[in-house]
Amino acid sequence: MNLSDPLEGSFRLTPTHVHALKKLGLATVGDLLYHFPVRYGDVASIKTVAEASRGDSIALVGQISHLQSKKAFRKKIPMAEGRLLDETGSIQIVWFHQPYLAKMIPDSSYVRVEGKVQERKGKLYLSNPKIERLSSLPAAASPLFGGNIGAGTLYPIYPETRGVTSNWFYHAVGKIFKSGLLETLDDPIPPAILEKYHLPSLATALIWIHSPKKETDARAARKRFAFEEVFFIQLEKQRARREWQNHSSFVVDPSLENVLQFATRFPFPLTRAQRRAVENIFLDFKKGRPMSRLLEGDVGSGKTAVAAMAAHAIITTHPEGKDFGNLQVAYMAPTEILAQQHFESFIDFFAESDIQIGLITGSGCKKFPSKVNPKGATSISRVQFLKWVANGEIPILIGTHALIQKSVKFKHLGFVIIDEQHRFGTAQRQKFREKEGRIPHLLSMTATPIPRTLALTIYGDLDLTLLDELPPGRKVPITKIVLPQERVMTYEKIRAELHLGRQVYIICPRIDEPDPAKELALQAKSVKEEAKRLREGIFPEFEVGVLHSKVRPAEKESVMNNFKDGKTKILVSTSVVEVGVNVPNATMIIIEGAERFGLAQLHQLRGRVMRSTHQPYCFIFSESRSGKSLDRLKALKQAKNGFELAEFDLAQRGAGELYGRKQWGLSDLGMEAIRNIKMVEAARHEAAALIAKDPDLKEYPLLSKRVEYSRQKIHFE
Ligand code: ADP
Ligand code: MG
């Protein structure tokens, strides 16, 4: 067997297997080896039905029978029930709210269930246990059925999937081990590094992770693979960084004086942090090598103004060797609302500069100033617009993803700003780099407070500038977790503020479609129904605006404008307003169904109301009464800033729950790794040292291949 052998052909697969493996993205023997168990069951922890007693948390293995779905509690709650049978007896099992379970598992299947033993009317039963189908009894569990493997044997439990059981993986991996493949594997991690950090070799780690003899072996193996993942990412970032740094970029040597003069157009003095950030950026601009900088600042710290100052420096610079014309700026935002907002801010900032500003989104193109109305913007055809961008007549181009389409060509693109970087993948960043011969300077901006370990990993190729100061006079929002009986009182408080001229956002978790996994009574509030309810029953004296991703772009714009102009006092919205939207007069936000949002996301939402000198309020309505989810919400009140919150989320909920994780391309194990700052720093350090010594990894062909592979993945994503 070889790592690249396809699974079909190497194993006898049923059509169900083929389908399920494909869904998991597993195509080759190598993929299978890198499909790791999520945890391990211990045979010693498997009990028999006879041993079960009330209050125990136990695992049982046996055959399931009498599965059926029905309704309980005055026919209100759908449920599934059945019996589990082992050689010592049988026990009842019930699953509330999961009637479909009865249809998913055929009668008499072998299963493993894990849950808490309860008692009702003198009879023991398991309520909502985890259940996993086994294709037969796991080899390791056979002592219960007369086998004789010693206690303490661990057996792997793989991520739950329909169609392939843990047991299938267990046997398939066993077959690979027996084939002798492991003995032929070369370890891509240099031996010196393995030794230094006490990591097992590749072959050993594969055995330990799939069939550990003891818990410590499994842990050592996981540590190795976690290190491996972060190490490869770091290598790739360090190498990419080195590569762009070898390219030339436009030399921009702006006078700080000019830009400070420009900054007097802002209706506020700069904060020290904003000024420092601009100085940082200008130092990079001068170097002739492309800047790659991340500007990280909490919501409301004033990143837009920094972007505008940097843009000003670019558009007042002539292309090299010319004494006319200017370099161009591309400013990309994740949503149309935000792009439109930046367009308007830039029109304010640059109105006196006698330059053109363009806006390109999925719904069309606009240009400022308009020929007929020199104070306003006008819609123009895409073809004409792109011509003006290509010949350099439009020096500032703001937009959504539409900016990076192939058809958008610049004359002298000198600078790219990516707002809300966490909303984009690395791939978008790369696209700009490929666009032109010379590589533009890059400024990524983000407020998403992510733990430092994660920033070091996913932004490993960027230099970091922190905007660690909020504009003066900002009031800390009063954050309140509102209990159901306090709802009416809260609405009255809001009414009083509305009459004083303030405005309120009301955030609901969904638009209007019911969530099929939930009971009607458990449905989260929807934007559409909530808007109707508020308009008719609660705030009839005020205009209510509605915003969500399905509103047509033209209407979106007018909804936002009405809110900005104060025509509507109440904006009911999904979390689309979460990123960047800036309406200083909106000082209150209600978040319905708050337990459905991540902490970082809640923090971003709350950031919407920290934009003026009026006292802001954040009212958190939670449907959950679970202690854990209330604790989590309480953290919102305590944490001083977004970074503290992110660390809290990481510590309490685990890496999997971190906001936006899908885009980072980290596996579960990689996310686990970022809980360990020492490991992340070590991986970064080793990767940087290796690249400094051997930039093309000539001495490390295996590593080079791996880095190449992950780079391709990024390009084609
Ligand atoms: P973010 O960093 O979240 O993108 P913005 O750039 O949207 O923040 O700025 C938030 C608000 O703060 C805006 O209303 C902006 O005009 C204002 N602002 C920015 N810089 C300052 C400053 N130095 N002093 C006072 N207000 C400022
Ligand atoms: Mg912003």
Side-chain angles (χ1 to χ4, degrees), residues 67 177 210 233 253 296 299 470 548 599 613 686:
L67 266 173
F177 287 175
H210 287 290
I233 293 174
D253 193 358
E296 191 164 356
V299 278
L470 287 181
H548 49 75
L599 278 184
T613 45
E686 297 299 340

Side-chain angles (χ1 to χ4, degrees), residues 60-65 67 83-87 93 95 104-113 130-139 141-142 144-145 164-168:
L60 296 171
V61 171
Q63 270 182 306
I64 193 104
S65 65
L67 266 173
R83 291 198 80 79
L84 181 104
L85 176 79
D86 71 9
E87 81 278 25
I93 306 188
W95 290 274
M104 274 169 51
I105 301 171
D107 227 44
S108 311
S109 319
Y110 289 106
V111 295
R112 175 179 186 285
V113 294
K130 280 200 210 109
I131 179 161
E132 193 200 12
R133 233 182 115 190
L134 309 169
S135 59
S136 60
L137 286 171
S142 55
L144 296 167
F145 289 78
V164 254
T165 59
S166 285
N167 205 40
W168 186 87

Side-chain angles (χ1 to χ4, degrees), residues 252-327:
V252 177
D253 193 358
S255 104
L256 200 57
E257 208 171 303
N258 280 353
V259 87
L260 292 178
Q261 179 58 36
F262 166 74
T264 58
R265 295 179 198 176
F266 299 148
F268 44 75
L270 296 179
T271 63
R272 260 168 312 169
Q274 280 170 322
R275 202 181 148 139
R276 222 177 310 125
V278 171
E279 287 169 5
N280 265 212
I281 291 168
F282 283 12
L283 282 179
D284 286 355
F285 275 174
K286 274 186 229 176
K287 290 184 183 151
R289 275 182 276 126
M291 167 171 87
S292 305
R293 192 165 280 283
L294 180 72
L295 181 64
E296 191 164 356
D298 216 343
V299 278
S301 55
K303 293 183 288 293
T304 319
V306 175
M309 288 184 278
H312 180 266
I314 295 288
I315 58 146
T316 50
T317 300
H318 301 308
E320 224 159 83
K322 300 220 171 88
D323 50 11
F324 58 90
N326 32 30
L327 298 181

Side-chain angles (χ1 to χ4, degrees), residues 346-601:
F346 269 51
I347 290 175
D348 283 346
F349 299 154
F350 288 94
E352 298 165 28
S353 299
D354 193 28
I355 58 148
Q356 313 215 33
I357 304 174
L359 173 71
I360 178 168
T361 66
S363 48
C365 303
K366 284 188 199 171
K367 184 179 75 89
F368 169 89
S370 124
K371 279 217 180 74
V372 271
N373 169 17
K375 292 228 156 10
T378 177
S379 293
I380 46 177
S381 83
R382 200 181 143 81
V383 176
Q384 181 58 55
F385 185 88
L386 292 181
K387 255 187 218 155
W388 281 330
V389 174
N391 71 16
E393 272 182 63
I394 299 186
I396 299 183
L397 187 61
I398 297 172
T400 53
H401 287 86
L403 262 177
I404 43 176
Q405 285 157 0
K406 276 219 181 65
S407 53
V408 183
K409 297 222 160 42
F410 294 85
K411 183 146 195 214
H412 297 296
L413 180 60
F415 182 34
V416 170
I417 305 162
I418 300 183
D419 196 17
E420 309 289 348
Q421 169 65 55
H422 59 281
R423 285 291 186 112
F424 297 103
T426 330
Q428 271 92 350
R429 217 149 75 208
Q430 298 281 4
K431 284 237 171 69
F432 277 111
R433 293 196 165 119
E434 289 157 14
K435 247 182 151 36
E436 308 293 312
R438 279 210 203 188
I439 294 190
H441 296 288
L442 171 81
L443 183 68
S444 287
M445 308 201 292
T446 182
T448 289
I450 53 174
R452 202 163 72 90
T453 44
L454 185 57
L456 281 175
T457 306
I458 58 179
Y459 301 127
D461 53 338
L462 303 174
D463 296 310
L464 185 69
T465 296
L466 281 181
L467 219 48
D468 52 3
E469 180 185 5
L470 287 181
R474 290 281 164 80
K475 298 229 166 63
V476 180
I478 296 178
T479 301
K480 203 168 168 341
I481 296 164
V482 181
L483 303 174
Q485 65 269 28
E486 296 166 332
R487 192 177 270 271
V488 175
M489 226 167 63
T490 305
Y491 285 141
E492 287 318 310
K493 164 87 191 140
I494 288 170
R495 189 190 315 282
E497 290 281 318
L498 290 173
H499 280 296
L500 287 175
R502 306 283 88 77
Q503 290 167 279
V504 61
Y505 295 101
I506 297 179
I507 308 298
C508 301
R510 55 189 193 100
I511 302 176
D512 67 343
E513 302 85 352
D515 180 348
K518 296 267 172 184
E519 285 292 284
L520 253 173
L522 297 176
Q523 294 284 343
K525 286 204 184 275
S526 83
V527 167
K528 290 188 182 167
E529 281 165 36
E530 187 63 5
K532 186 163 178 280
R533 191 178 75 87
L534 294 170
R535 208 178 263 146
E536 290 170 3
I538 316 272
F539 298 116
E541 71 268 47
F542 296 111
E543 290 286 319
V544 176
V546 173
L547 194 65
H548 49 75
S549 57
K550 301 236 166 91
V551 174
R552 274 176 301 117
E555 199 185 325
K556 247 185 219 168
E557 201 184 318
S558 82
V559 170
M560 266 328 280
N561 282 339
N562 284 341
F563 191 60
K564 237 181 252 172
D565 301 341
K567 282 193 198 113
T568 43
K569 297 280 183 225
I570 300 172
L571 184 63
V572 185
S573 169
T574 54
S575 58
V576 293
V577 298
E578 161 208 340
V579 287
V581 170
N582 184 25
V583 180
N585 192 47
T587 56
M588 295 172 287
I589 187 164
I590 288 184
I591 303 168
E592 297 277 1
E595 68 282 350
R596 291 173 195 238
F597 298 100
L599 278 184
Q601 208 181 356

Side-chain angles (χ1 to χ4, degrees), residues 43 139-151 153:
V43 177
S142 55
L144 296 167
F145 289 78
N148 55 5
I149 297 174
T153 313

